[in-house]
């Protein structure tokens, strides 16, 4: 009954499909979950790829792509893929074309200059995506939440750690009380034990997600500490324990992802919080 209804009304656009996937994520079998994760993390690849290449990247059989598409009401994988292609057509193409040209190597650059050229292009792509991906109202709400906290706990590990580390530096300069989790002293448990409902946390984790960051965020959430998180997928383990979360996927060059857009977002949060507290003195710690 449910299945027939879904086939009659498959999601009409990418946002609707994404919402439908998120609603069902806890009930998807393992292989279909792999497709879901790959589709939401790499929508451009789904739009451009063949069934064989997408299946290989998601580590499933091509027939699994068909089952996944039919689960959400589409006649087959091609019908679902059209949704991902429509998403790309809705974007402004001129800027994308300019960036593509920027990354093209015409052979005139040295190897090292070509690498720099590639990372500059990837950074431009990521920053352009950031500008359109963040809901201004949600961002304002996150700033309000963090600005009202007595102490802001910063959680990040591995590739994400430079983000929280620089936020700690900036908060210190701006006289905003913070606690950086993950220092060399090895006293994370003791630091987290001091957090309460009057505090807040900003957590960052990108795939492959650091299990320690997720565990720390869950611990704070269970103690009533509201979490604002930055991650790269709606299926990230940070999502379920966050009061608010923002999704940002960095562009890569030669398989390496920079932190261009993530750092820009983090600094906007940091300065936004400081400015909110400056304008509302009652939000400052005494």
């Amino acid at each position: 009954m449910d299945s027939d209804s879904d086939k009659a009304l498959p999601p009409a656009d990418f946002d609707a499909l994404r919402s439908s996937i998120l609603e069902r994520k806890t009930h998807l079998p393992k292989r279909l979950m792999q497709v879901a994760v790959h589709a939401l993390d790499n929508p451009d690849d789904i739009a451009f790829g063949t069934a064989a290449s997408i299946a290989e990247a998601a580590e499933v059989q091509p027939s699994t792509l068909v089952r996944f598409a039919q689960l959400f009401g589409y006649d087959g994988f091609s019908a679902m893929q059209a949704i991902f292609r429509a998403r790309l057509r809705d974007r402004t193409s001129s800027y994308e074309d300019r960036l593509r040209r920027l990354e093209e190597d015409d052979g005139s650059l040295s190897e090292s200059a070509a690498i720099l050229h590639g990372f500059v292009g990837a950074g431009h792509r990521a920053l352009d995506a950031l500008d359109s991906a963040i809901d201004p109202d949600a961002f304002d709400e996150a700033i309000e939440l963090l600005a009202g906290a007595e102490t802001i706990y910063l959680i990040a590990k591995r590739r994400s750690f430079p983000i929280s580390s620089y936020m700690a530096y900036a908060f210190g300069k701006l006289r905003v009380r913070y606690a950086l989790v993950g220092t060399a002293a090895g006293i994370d448990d003791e630091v987290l034990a001091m957090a309460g409902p009057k505090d807040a946390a900003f957590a960052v984790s990108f795939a492959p997600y650091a299990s320690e960051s997720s565990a720390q965020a869950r611990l704070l959430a269970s103690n009533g500490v509201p979490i604002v998180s930055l991650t790269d997928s709606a299926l990230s383990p940070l999502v379920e324990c966050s009061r608010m979360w923002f999704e940002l996927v960095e562009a890569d060059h030669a398989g390496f992802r920079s932190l261009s857009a993530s750092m820009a977002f983090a600094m906007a949060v940091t300065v936004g919080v400081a400015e909110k507290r400056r304008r509302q003195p009652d939000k400052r710690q005494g």
Side-chain angles (χ1 to χ4, degrees):
M1 204 57 179
D2 221 14
S3 170
D4 291 341
S5 170
D6 287 341
K7 287 182 179 178
L9 292 170
D13 55 38
F14 178 77
D15 288 339
L17 174 58
R18 181 177 179 277
S19 296
S20 186
I21 291 173
L22 294 179
E23 286 172 6
R24 298 188 180 197
K25 67 177 183 178
T26 56
H27 305 295
L28 292 176
K30 178 183 177 182
R31 296 303 180 194
L32 295 184
M33 176 60 87
Q34 287 176 220
V35 177
V37 170
H38 185 72
L40 294 185
D41 288 357
N42 306 278
D44 291 0
D45 292 347
I46 302 296
F48 290 125
T50 63
S53 66
I54 294 167
E56 182 179 1
E59 299 182 351
V60 298
Q61 295 297 318
S63 59
T64 306
L65 299 181
V66 177
R67 286 198 297 122
F68 183 81
Q70 291 176 339
L71 178 66
F72 291 94
Y74 301 102
D75 292 334
F77 176 69
S78 296
M80 186 184 74
Q81 188 177 41
I83 298 295
F84 287 83
R85 289 176 175 169
R87 167 184 168 274
L88 289 181
R89 285 197 299 272
D90 290 341
R91 289 179 174 181
T92 303
S93 61
S94 59
Y95 192 69
E96 292 286 325
D97 291 340
R98 181 152 51 95
L99 289 176
R100 195 173 294 111
R101 287 196 298 272
L102 177 65
E103 289 194 313
E104 287 175 354
D105 181 6
D106 59 7
S108 64
L109 298 175
S110 66
E111 181 180 7
S112 54
I115 291 172
L116 173 62
H117 204 55
F119 277 109
V120 168
H124 275 296
R125 275 205 313 276
L127 288 167
D128 183 53
L130 169 65
D131 194 41
S132 59
I134 304 302
D135 176 10
D137 291 337
F139 187 76
D140 285 345
E141 188 179 342
I143 295 298
E144 185 77 31
L145 188 158
L146 293 170
E150 290 185 356
T151 300
I152 299 174
Y153 287 78
L154 302 172
I155 298 173
K157 299 289 183 291
R158 299 202 297 252
R159 182 167 72 95
S160 307
F161 187 71
I163 299 171
S164 63
S165 179
Y166 196 74
M167 288 180 75
Y169 167 78
F171 275 143
K173 288 288 187 181
L174 294 167
R175 300 174 183 264
V176 174
R177 186 180 295 161
Y178 72 90
L180 179 62
V181 181
T183 63
I187 55 172
D188 287 1
D189 291 346
E190 289 81 355
V191 170
L192 292 170
M194 295 187 291
K198 292 184 179 180
D199 301 312
F202 185 81
V204 189
S205 188
F206 304 125
Y209 307 107
S211 58
E212 192 175 359
S213 293
S214 304
Q216 290 171 345
R218 284 195 300 271
L219 174 64
L220 289 182
S222 69
N223 290 332
V225 179
I227 312 290
V228 176
S229 63
L230 176 64
T231 188
D232 57 1
S233 171
L235 299 176
S236 163
L238 285 182
V239 170
E240 294 182 0
C241 62
S242 297
R243 177 81 59 85
M244 301 186 65
W245 59 278
F246 296 88
E247 182 179 350
L248 174 62
V249 180
E250 294 279 2
D252 75 277
H253 176 65
F256 293 92
R257 294 184 187 273
S258 72
L259 293 172
S260 303
S262 303
M263 198 65 84
F265 179 85
M267 291 315 299
V269 169
T270 305
V271 176
V273 166
E275 183 65 10
K276 175 72 72 174
R277 291 163 72 93
R278 184 184 72 81
R279 291 178 179 276
Q280 300 177 1
D282 55 304
K283 295 292 186 183
R284 301 180 188 181
Q285 64 266 21

